[in-house]
PDB file of all heavy atoms in Angstrom:
ATOM      1  N   PRO A 232      83.578  96.123 103.629  1.00  0.00           N
ATOM      2  CA  PRO A 232      83.754  97.223 104.508  1.00  0.00           C
ATOM      3  C   PRO A 232      85.147  97.171 105.118  1.00  0.00           C
ATOM      4  O   PRO A 232      85.606  96.035 105.550  1.00  0.00           O
ATOM      5  CB  PRO A 232      82.671  97.051 105.580  1.00  0.00           C
ATOM      6  CG  PRO A 232      82.299  95.609 105.487  1.00  0.00           C
ATOM      7  CD  PRO A 232      82.527  95.209 104.055  1.00  0.00           C
ATOM      8  N   ILE A 233      85.896  98.209 105.167  1.00  0.00           N
ATOM      9  CA  ILE A 233      87.243  98.252 105.666  1.00  0.00           C
ATOM     10  C   ILE A 233      87.299  99.264 106.900  1.00  0.00           C
ATOM     11  O   ILE A 233      86.852 100.348 106.798  1.00  0.00           O
ATOM     12  CB  ILE A 233      88.272  98.749 104.617  1.00  0.00           C
ATOM     13  CG1 ILE A 233      88.275  97.729 103.419  1.00  0.00           C
ATOM     14  CG2 ILE A 233      89.682  98.890 105.197  1.00  0.00           C
ATOM     15  CD1 ILE A 233      88.755  96.362 103.732  1.00  0.00           C
ATOM     16  N   VAL A 234      87.895  98.825 107.957  1.00  0.00           N
ATOM     17  CA  VAL A 234      88.160  99.715 109.110  1.00  0.00           C
ATOM     18  C   VAL A 234      89.712  99.745 109.314  1.00  0.00           C
ATOM     19  O   VAL A 234      90.387  98.954 108.870  1.00  0.00           O
ATOM     20  CB  VAL A 234      87.421  99.108 110.389  1.00  0.00           C
ATOM     21  CG1 VAL A 234      86.011  99.063 110.222  1.00  0.00           C
ATOM     22  CG2 VAL A 234      88.030  97.769 110.872  1.00  0.00           C
ATOM     23  N   PHE A 235      90.131 100.804 110.023  1.00  0.00           N
ATOM     24  CA  PHE A 235      91.531 101.083 110.165  1.00  0.00           C
ATOM     25  C   PHE A 235      91.906 101.111 111.585  1.00  0.00           C
ATOM     26  O   PHE A 235      91.086 101.723 112.520  1.00  0.00           O
ATOM     27  CB  PHE A 235      91.964 102.445 109.554  1.00  0.00           C
ATOM     28  CG  PHE A 235      91.615 102.549 108.123  1.00  0.00           C
ATOM     29  CD1 PHE A 235      90.432 103.067 107.640  1.00  0.00           C
ATOM     30  CD2 PHE A 235      92.565 102.022 107.186  1.00  0.00           C
ATOM     31  CE1 PHE A 235      90.153 103.107 106.267  1.00  0.00           C
ATOM     32  CE2 PHE A 235      92.264 102.116 105.837  1.00  0.00           C
ATOM     33  CZ  PHE A 235      91.180 102.629 105.361  1.00  0.00           C
ATOM     34  N   ARG A 236      92.973 100.529 111.995  1.00  0.00           N
ATOM     35  CA  ARG A 236      93.474 100.497 113.399  1.00  0.00           C
ATOM     36  C   ARG A 236      94.917 101.072 113.369  1.00  0.00           C
ATOM     37  O   ARG A 236      95.667 101.030 112.412  1.00  0.00           O
ATOM     38  CB  ARG A 236      93.501  99.016 113.923  1.00  0.00           C
ATOM     39  CG  ARG A 236      92.006  98.550 114.091  1.00  0.00           C
ATOM     40  CD  ARG A 236      91.863  97.163 114.752  1.00  0.00           C
ATOM     41  NE  ARG A 236      90.518  96.847 114.681  1.00  0.00           N
ATOM     42  CZ  ARG A 236      90.062  95.657 114.505  1.00  0.00           C
ATOM     43  NH1 ARG A 236      90.908  94.679 114.126  1.00  0.00           N
ATOM     44  NH2 ARG A 236      88.782  95.377 114.556  1.00  0.00           N
ATOM     45  N   LEU A 237      95.257 101.632 114.530  1.00  0.00           N
ATOM     46  CA  LEU A 237      96.496 102.229 114.828  1.00  0.00           C
ATOM     47  C   LEU A 237      97.343 101.486 115.893  1.00  0.00           C
ATOM     48  O   LEU A 237      96.745 101.187 116.878  1.00  0.00           O
ATOM     49  CB  LEU A 237      96.345 103.697 115.246  1.00  0.00           C
ATOM     50  CG  LEU A 237      97.617 104.415 115.659  1.00  0.00           C
ATOM     51  CD1 LEU A 237      98.446 104.825 114.476  1.00  0.00           C
ATOM     52  CD2 LEU A 237      97.069 105.699 116.478  1.00  0.00           C
ATOM     53  N   LEU A 238      98.648 101.228 115.551  1.00  0.00           N
ATOM     54  CA  LEU A 238      99.502 100.594 116.523  1.00  0.00           C
ATOM     55  C   LEU A 238     100.464 101.799 116.905  1.00  0.00           C
ATOM     56  O   LEU A 238     101.379 102.109 116.147  1.00  0.00           O
ATOM     57  CB  LEU A 238     100.256  99.343 116.013  1.00  0.00           C
ATOM     58  CG  LEU A 238     101.126  98.656 117.016  1.00  0.00           C
ATOM     59  CD1 LEU A 238     100.445  98.284 118.280  1.00  0.00           C
ATOM     60  CD2 LEU A 238     101.914  97.561 116.333  1.00  0.00           C
ATOM     61  N   ASP A 239     100.433 102.349 118.117  1.00  0.00           N
ATOM     62  CA  ASP A 239     101.190 103.381 118.543  1.00  0.00           C
ATOM     63  C   ASP A 239     101.895 102.880 119.819  1.00  0.00           C
ATOM     64  O   ASP A 239     101.293 102.972 120.910  1.00  0.00           O
ATOM     65  CB  ASP A 239     100.381 104.622 118.748  1.00  0.00           C
ATOM     66  CG  ASP A 239     101.226 105.863 119.165  1.00  0.00           C
ATOM     67  OD1 ASP A 239     102.527 105.818 119.080  1.00  0.00           O
ATOM     68  OD2 ASP A 239     100.606 106.929 119.519  1.00  0.00           O
ATOM     69  N   GLY A 240     103.220 102.510 119.698  1.00  0.00           N
ATOM     70  CA  GLY A 240     103.708 101.833 120.861  1.00  0.00           C
ATOM     71  C   GLY A 240     103.140 100.475 121.222  1.00  0.00           C
ATOM     72  O   GLY A 240     103.047  99.655 120.354  1.00  0.00           O
ATOM     73  N   GLU A 241     102.453 100.383 122.349  1.00  0.00           N
ATOM     74  CA  GLU A 241     101.688  99.141 122.742  1.00  0.00           C
ATOM     75  C   GLU A 241     100.256  99.425 122.706  1.00  0.00           C
ATOM     76  O   GLU A 241      99.420  98.576 122.906  1.00  0.00           O
ATOM     77  CB  GLU A 241     102.120  98.724 124.136  1.00  0.00           C
ATOM     78  CG  GLU A 241     103.588  98.274 124.161  1.00  0.00           C
ATOM     79  CD  GLU A 241     103.984  97.663 125.634  1.00  0.00           C
ATOM     80  OE1 GLU A 241     103.026  97.743 126.479  1.00  0.00           O
ATOM     81  OE2 GLU A 241     105.062  97.144 125.737  1.00  0.00           O
ATOM     82  N   ASP A 242      99.817 100.680 122.350  1.00  0.00           N
ATOM     83  CA  ASP A 242      98.428 100.981 122.205  1.00  0.00           C
ATOM     84  C   ASP A 242      97.829 100.714 120.937  1.00  0.00           C
ATOM     85  O   ASP A 242      98.487 100.873 119.820  1.00  0.00           O
ATOM     86  CB  ASP A 242      98.186 102.532 122.534  1.00  0.00           C
ATOM     87  CG  ASP A 242      98.618 102.911 124.032  1.00  0.00           C
ATOM     88  OD1 ASP A 242      98.604 101.917 124.738  1.00  0.00           O
ATOM     89  OD2 ASP A 242      98.792 104.090 124.225  1.00  0.00           O
ATOM     90  N   VAL A 243      96.658 100.111 120.813  1.00  0.00           N
ATOM     91  CA  VAL A 243      95.838  99.938 119.622  1.00  0.00           C
ATOM     92  C   VAL A 243      94.552 100.729 119.657  1.00  0.00           C
ATOM     93  O   VAL A 243      93.898 100.653 120.695  1.00  0.00           O
ATOM     94  CB  VAL A 243      95.596  98.415 119.438  1.00  0.00           C
ATOM     95  CG1 VAL A 243      94.672  98.249 118.132  1.00  0.00           C
ATOM     96  CG2 VAL A 243      96.883  97.685 119.295  1.00  0.00           C
ATOM     97  N   ALA A 244      94.328 101.537 118.642  1.00  0.00           N
ATOM     98  CA  ALA A 244      93.097 102.396 118.639  1.00  0.00           C
ATOM     99  C   ALA A 244      92.491 102.148 117.261  1.00  0.00           C
ATOM    100  O   ALA A 244      93.085 101.748 116.286  1.00  0.00           O
ATOM    101  CB  ALA A 244      93.352 103.854 118.916  1.00  0.00           C
ATOM    102  N   GLU A 245      91.170 102.434 117.072  1.00  0.00           N
ATOM    103  CA  GLU A 245      90.424 102.275 115.925  1.00  0.00           C
ATOM    104  C   GLU A 245      90.005 103.703 115.355  1.00  0.00           C
ATOM    105  O   GLU A 245      89.637 104.637 116.073  1.00  0.00           O
ATOM    106  CB  GLU A 245      89.148 101.477 116.087  1.00  0.00           C
ATOM    107  CG  GLU A 245      88.440 101.099 114.799  1.00  0.00           C
ATOM    108  CD  GLU A 245      87.492  99.980 114.888  1.00  0.00           C
ATOM    109  OE1 GLU A 245      87.803  98.890 115.394  1.00  0.00           O
ATOM    110  OE2 GLU A 245      86.314 100.163 114.655  1.00  0.00           O
ATOM    111  N   ALA A 246      90.172 103.837 113.967  1.00  0.00           N
ATOM    112  CA  ALA A 246      89.863 105.105 113.442  1.00  0.00           C
ATOM    113  C   ALA A 246      88.309 105.515 113.305  1.00  0.00           C
ATOM    114  O   ALA A 246      87.573 104.534 113.219  1.00  0.00           O
ATOM    115  CB  ALA A 246      90.418 105.120 112.027  1.00  0.00           C
TER     116      ALA A 246
END
Side-chain angles (χ1 to χ4, degrees):
I233 300 296
V234 300
F235 300 95
R236 292 181 184 142
L237 173 73
L238 180 65
D239 184 8
E241 296 183 353
D242 293 341
V243 176
E245 187 162 304

